[in-house]
């Protein structure tokens, strides 16, 4: 296994001032953009992307700050806000010739996709979010000792400096921890792919922390402003999640229903890395979404 999806062509695309994204493109047909999560790269979509490429143009970028994409310095909260990262994706698709496209994201990529759906409703035709809650709802759901499951969120929410140093000094152990505990099927992330993820994360500690830090600040502000204004997702939305609500005491479908009128919400039996653990099921659900 290399750092590429077989059959996909690779290029770097300028999306903002001094920011280029590494992107894999394959197939032909209506465009679908797939955004990866933490602690991964675009390679997490390798199975689903090849399936969808049979009849879609599939676009798989590394998010800003991740993988082989540029990692601008965090010289303000906007640099890694999901609003900025969503604008990257809209600019990427436009540079590739697509004014409108379907969008699916997992984990961090799902937060970017959610923001893109709110900020660019005339651009995003269909939206899928895998294993997240909207940022403002996520923080509301974490309370008491049960919040320990999200310890990394609190660690990386701290002011610049300490978290970066701690993670950098034990980066492989830190990122491996999540690859281990979040997967129901460890074989879904084989050793060569795991090494790709660890190498990429080791080289991106400051930008990964900056991405998470934005979700403890400016991203909440953006979500709260939209909620106060009653803004909702206008396109068909599919949300797939593990049943975290049962553990943390919230009703995930109801939280998502407040944001999306045309919502298909479902839970999965696989682990967090669902596109790798059960790619056939995820492909089917995405195809169902695209048919709506």
């Amino acid at each position: 296994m290399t750092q590429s999806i077989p059959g996909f062509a690779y290029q770097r695309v300028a999306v903002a001032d001094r920011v280029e994204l590494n992107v894999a493109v394959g197939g032909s047909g209506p465009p679908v953009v797939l955004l990866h999560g933490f602690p991964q790269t675009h390679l997490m979509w390798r199975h689903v992307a090849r399936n969808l490429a049979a009849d879609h143009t599939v676009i798989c970028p590394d998010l800003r700050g991740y993988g082989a994409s540029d990692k601008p310095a965090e010289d303000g909260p906007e640099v890694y806000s999901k609003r900025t990262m969503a604008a990257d994706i809209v600019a990427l698709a436009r540079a590739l010739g697509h004014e409108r496209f379907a969008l699916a994201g997992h984990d961090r990529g799902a937060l970017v996709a959610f923001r893109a759906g709110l900020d660019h409703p005339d651009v995003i035709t269909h939206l899928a979010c895998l294993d997240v809650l909207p940022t403002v709802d996520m923080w509301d759901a974490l309370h008491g000792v049960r919040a320990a499951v999200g310890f990394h969120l609190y660690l990386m929410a701290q002011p610049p400096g300490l978290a970066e140093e701690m993670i950098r000094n034990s980066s492989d152990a830190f990122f491996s921890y999540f690859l281990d505990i979040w997967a129901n099927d460890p074989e879904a992330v084989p050793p060569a792919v795991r090494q790709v993820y660890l190498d990429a994360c080791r080289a991106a500690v400051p930008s990964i922390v900056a991405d998470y830090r934005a979700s403890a600040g400016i991203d909440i502000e953006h979500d709260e402003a939209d909620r106060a204004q009653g803004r909702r997702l206008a396109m068909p939305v599919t949300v797939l999640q593990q049943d975290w609500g049962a553990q943390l005491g919230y009703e995930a479908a109801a939280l998502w229903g407040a944001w999306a009128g045309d919502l298909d919400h479902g839970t999965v039996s696989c682990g967090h890395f669902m596109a790798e653990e059960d790619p056939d099921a995820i492909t089917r659900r995405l195809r169902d979404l695209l048919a709506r």
Side-chain angles (χ1 to χ4, degrees):
M1 173 63 65
T2 66
Q3 295 189 42
S4 62
I5 301 175
F8 277 54
Y10 279 75
Q11 59 185 294
R12 293 181 63 81
V13 178
V15 296
D17 184 29
R18 298 189 299 275
V19 177
E20 295 184 352
L21 300 187
N22 175 57
V23 57
V25 182
S28 62
V32 181
V33 178
L34 305 177
L35 305 180
H36 67 86
F38 164 93
Q40 300 159 293
T41 70
H42 76 280
L43 197 60
M44 63 150 284
W45 289 108
R46 60 195 179 278
H47 305 304
V48 173
R50 295 178 71 188
N51 288 335
L52 290 177
D55 48 12
H56 288 80
T57 299
V58 182
I59 301 166
C60 300
D62 288 331
L63 296 167
R64 89 160 45 197
Y66 288 81
S69 289
D70 285 345
K71 304 167 182 64
E74 183 196 12
D75 57 7
E78 302 86 359
V79 177
Y80 286 95
S81 75
K82 303 310 154 293
R83 174 159 287 160
T84 298
M85 296 171 79
D88 286 348
I89 303 308
V90 172
L92 169 66
R94 184 171 293 126
L96 296 174
H98 307 292
E99 293 296 327
R100 302 183 76 231
F101 57 93
L103 181 59
H106 173 258
D107 189 82
R108 308 305 295 173
L111 299 179
V112 176
F114 171 75
R115 176 46 52 191
L118 287 173
D119 285 359
H120 306 278
D122 295 332
V123 174
I124 310 303
T125 63
H126 301 77
L127 179 66
C129 293
L130 276 56
D131 223 23
V132 296
L133 291 174
T135 300
V136 67
D137 295 313
M138 174 193 71
W139 288 108
D140 287 345
L142 293 172
H143 50 82
V145 71
R146 291 175 176 174
V149 69
F151 79 93
H152 61 299
L153 302 173
Y154 295 90
L155 172 63
M156 291 189 276
Q158 305 308 312
L162 179 61
E164 290 89 337
E165 181 178 359
M166 292 174 64
I167 295 169
R168 190 184 293 112
N169 288 341
S170 56
S171 62
D172 281 10
F174 181 77
F175 295 114
S176 290
Y177 175 80
F178 302 102
L179 292 171
D180 291 338
I181 67 166
W182 287 349
N184 287 358
D185 178 12
E187 295 183 1
V189 183
V193 175
R194 181 188 183 96
Q195 194 61 51
V196 168
Y197 295 161
L198 293 179
D199 291 345
C201 288
R202 189 185 314 114
V205 171
S207 52
I208 290 174
V209 176
D211 167 36
Y212 273 86
R213 185 179 292 117
S215 286
I218 193 168
D219 293 342
I220 298 175
E221 295 174 14
H222 292 158
D223 282 6
E224 288 178 335
D226 285 337
R227 186 161 65 182
Q229 295 169 17
R231 295 182 64 190
R232 305 182 79 200
L233 297 164
M235 66 291 299
V237 177
T238 290
V239 173
L240 300 175
Q241 301 183 272
Q242 299 179 88
D243 194 9
W244 284 109
Q247 177 178 345
L248 297 176
Y250 62 83
E251 178 51 58
L255 293 177
W256 273 104
W259 291 99
D262 185 357
L263 173 66
D264 177 17
H265 184 279
T267 56
V268 299
S269 58
C270 57
H272 177 65
F273 304 115
M274 56 186 71
E276 295 175 281
E277 296 187 58
D278 197 352
D280 290 342
I282 300 306
T283 302
R284 286 194 301 272
R285 296 300 294 267
L286 293 181
R287 287 192 178 280
D288 290 343
L289 168 66
L290 295 169
R292 280 161 53 195

